[in-house]
Amino acid sequence: MSVVERARRVLPGGNTRTTLFVPPHPPYAVRGEGAIVTDHTGHRVIDCNNNYTSLIHGHARPEVLEAAFEAARSGTAFGLPTASEVALAEHVRDRTGIEQWRFCNSGTEAVLMLLRAARAYTGRELIVRFEGSYHGTGDAVVSPGAPGVVPGSVLVLPQNDLPALRAAMRDHGDRVAAVLIDLMPNRAGLTPADPAYVAELDALTRQHGALLAVDEVITFRLHEGGLHQRYGIRPDLVSVGKVIGGGFPVGAVGGRAEVLSPFDPQTPDGVSWGGTFSANPVTMSAGLTALRLFGPAEIAELNRRGDELRSRLRDAGVAVRGSGSLLRLMAADTTKLWWSLYERGVLAGTNGLLALSTAMTPAHLDHIADAVIATLRSGSAEHR
Ligand SMILES: Cc1ncc(COP(=O)(O)O)c(C=O)c1O
């Protein structure tokens, strides 16, 4: 029996992660090495998915693996804290200027923790977020009408619509715990937020005593301290994940000590939040090593390569969006696009997302450009 048939017997639809499903079923990965993934048929592809943007150095970067092995040899998880969580927190504090951090196992969990912190700190309930942005799978951040969802007190606004934001803050501002924004939402097409809009959002949250929360789970890779630093804002809370775990499960919320104080176990009536595997030393050590290898020079170089690839694609008539090392191909039929690229040796996100890694060489980037151009010229994915 094939692995696909076996999967369909024991997993609903043969699937664990909706985000990587492509009909009739995706191939199975068997090996990752640098920029290359080999699937169960022996087909080799350049990895532009990078586990949905998280593998900033591609697969099996020796220094990151060595850090993970070294940590694992001394124990993979403990019922005690380890110094590795302190070291990673110090590193992200120094990168961002954001005072305190609390780790968890995914971006979804980071956003849940961020919302809990915002509500606990302000004593308010209402969360404002934006249409089309993905913040993981918590009830408060998915489509309010979706099956099984109990959304709670959440207001969803169109992003970049200033009159709608002003009206919402005028009518509800004093009930808003936090406004949660992704400054370049992938699901919404990877279009960077308008700086004038973000400046007004910043001012309005302050005026109404609401917290400004930036979801940097994807965008942290674009700037040493996260994309918000390009906007010159100082969010009260940020959620991060993906690249900070060096390829292992991770999430974190960062903020001022005062705002995160509800998590202090000695705070009376504080927030009780555990997590059996949160801040495990394997993730913390791999993450710290991956981030140390991704400083300002590496970030700038990867962003430059992304900008160059985007220009090259645009010059060839491809509809492409994004910024720096994150690109999004805009196609009417993303399934056709995905398969067509895959057959040409490129693994994309199922929505047309391309995330570059430091493991890619100029030859890989040439191959990616040629594959995208050939795919769109072949008509297997019309522009949207
Ligand atoms: C902006 C953003 N927030 C949160 C998440 C959820 O992260 P995770 O998949 O690690 O739960 C994602 C995942 O893609 C994301 O892009």
Side-chain angles (χ1 to χ4, degrees):
M1 202 189 302
S2 75
V3 65
V4 175
E5 288 161 348
R6 283 169 47 214
R8 286 185 178 140
R9 291 189 175 197
V10 288
L11 305 167
N15 175 263
T16 293
R17 296 167 64 188
T18 314
T19 40
L20 48 74
F21 180 74
V22 276
H25 61 80
Y28 279 72
V30 293
R31 190 173 170 76
E33 260 182 305
I36 303 295
V37 166
T38 307
D39 75 14
H40 70 297
T41 68
H43 184 56
R44 286 162 58 86
V45 285
I46 299 171
D47 194 353
C48 291
N49 178 309
N50 279 305
N51 196 23
Y52 281 94
T53 77
S54 58
L55 302 173
I56 198 69
H57 300 299
H59 298 269
R61 170 99 180 215
E63 300 94 321
V64 177
L65 278 191
E66 192 40 51
F69 284 142
E70 198 185 314
R73 277 192 285 267
S74 300
T76 59
F78 297 93
L80 288 172
T82 71
S84 64
E85 75 190 53
V86 183
L88 185 57
E90 285 169 346
H91 181 88
V92 286
R93 177 207 52 200
D94 294 347
R95 272 176 106 100
T96 59
I98 295 173
E99 213 175 356
Q100 290 205 337
W101 293 85
R102 196 166 162 99
F103 295 106
C104 54
N105 299 297
S106 69
T108 289
E109 212 186 326
V111 170
L112 294 179
M113 224 154 57
L114 178 153
L115 299 181
R116 184 74 59 85
R119 285 171 165 158
Y121 175 73
T122 59
R124 300 174 177 186
E125 212 178 292
L126 188 61
I127 300 294
V128 174
R129 64 176 182 86
F130 297 98
E131 248 163 47
S133 288
Y134 181 68
H135 300 288
T137 50
D139 277 5
V141 293
V142 297
S143 176
V149 170
V150 184
S153 191
V154 179
L155 192 62
V156 185
L157 301 180
Q159 191 153 318
N160 284 335
D161 181 341
L162 258 183
L165 176 68
R166 286 181 188 137
M169 292 305 277
R170 184 193 61 223
D171 297 344
H172 310 287
D174 58 350
R175 292 195 299 119
V176 176
V179 181
L180 175 65
I181 188 166
D182 178 338
L183 296 168
M184 195 172 80
N186 165 35
R187 294 275 175 96
L190 220 60
T191 302
D194 172 16
Y197 182 83
V198 174
E200 184 145 350
L201 171 62
D202 186 31
L204 282 170
T205 49
R206 275 165 224 295
Q207 190 183 320
H208 290 276
L211 300 181
L212 176 62
V214 179
D215 187 352
E216 294 265 16
V217 168
I218 281 198
T219 51
F220 191 70
R221 60 155 53 213
L222 294 174
H223 191 280
E224 197 189 8
L227 183 57
H228 73 266
Q229 293 198 334
R230 277 202 211 143
Y231 286 81
I233 53 170
R234 292 176 67 84
D236 299 293
L237 287 166
V238 296
S239 45
V240 297
K242 307 234 190 216
V243 299
I244 73 150
F248 292 87
V250 79
V253 59
R256 291 197 309 280
E258 189 196 354
V259 178
L260 290 185
S261 65
F263 289 115
D264 176 344
Q266 302 203 78
T267 298
D269 300 324
V271 172
S272 172
W273 194 297
T276 303
F277 292 100
S278 292
N280 72 77
V282 178
T283 298
M284 297 293 102
S285 308
L288 180 58
T289 303
L291 287 181
R292 281 188 176 143
L293 293 166
F294 194 57
E298 292 81 13
I299 295 171
E301 172 58 16
L302 200 61
N303 284 337
R304 190 194 62 72
R305 289 176 174 209
D307 290 341
E308 203 173 273
L309 177 60
R310 202 169 7 259
S311 307
R312 190 163 160 187
L313 295 176
R314 279 194 183 135
D315 289 349
V318 175
V320 56
R321 293 189 191 156
S323 171
S325 65
L326 294 171
L327 297 88
R328 172 86 188 268
L329 303 173
M330 307 307 293
D333 185 336
T334 47
T335 298
K336 258 184 169 177
L337 171 72
W338 192 91
W339 279 112
S340 176
L341 287 174
Y342 196 77
E343 280 151 18
R344 290 179 167 86
V346 172
L347 172 57
T350 52
N351 62 355
L353 177 72
L354 303 176
L356 305 189
S357 77
T358 61
M360 289 172 177
T361 62
H364 292 134
L365 293 162
D366 286 346
H367 184 115
I368 297 163
D370 292 346
V372 170
I373 292 164
T375 290
L376 292 160
R377 293 217 169 123
S378 73
S380 42
E382 281 100 49
H383 295 186
R384 195 172 63 186

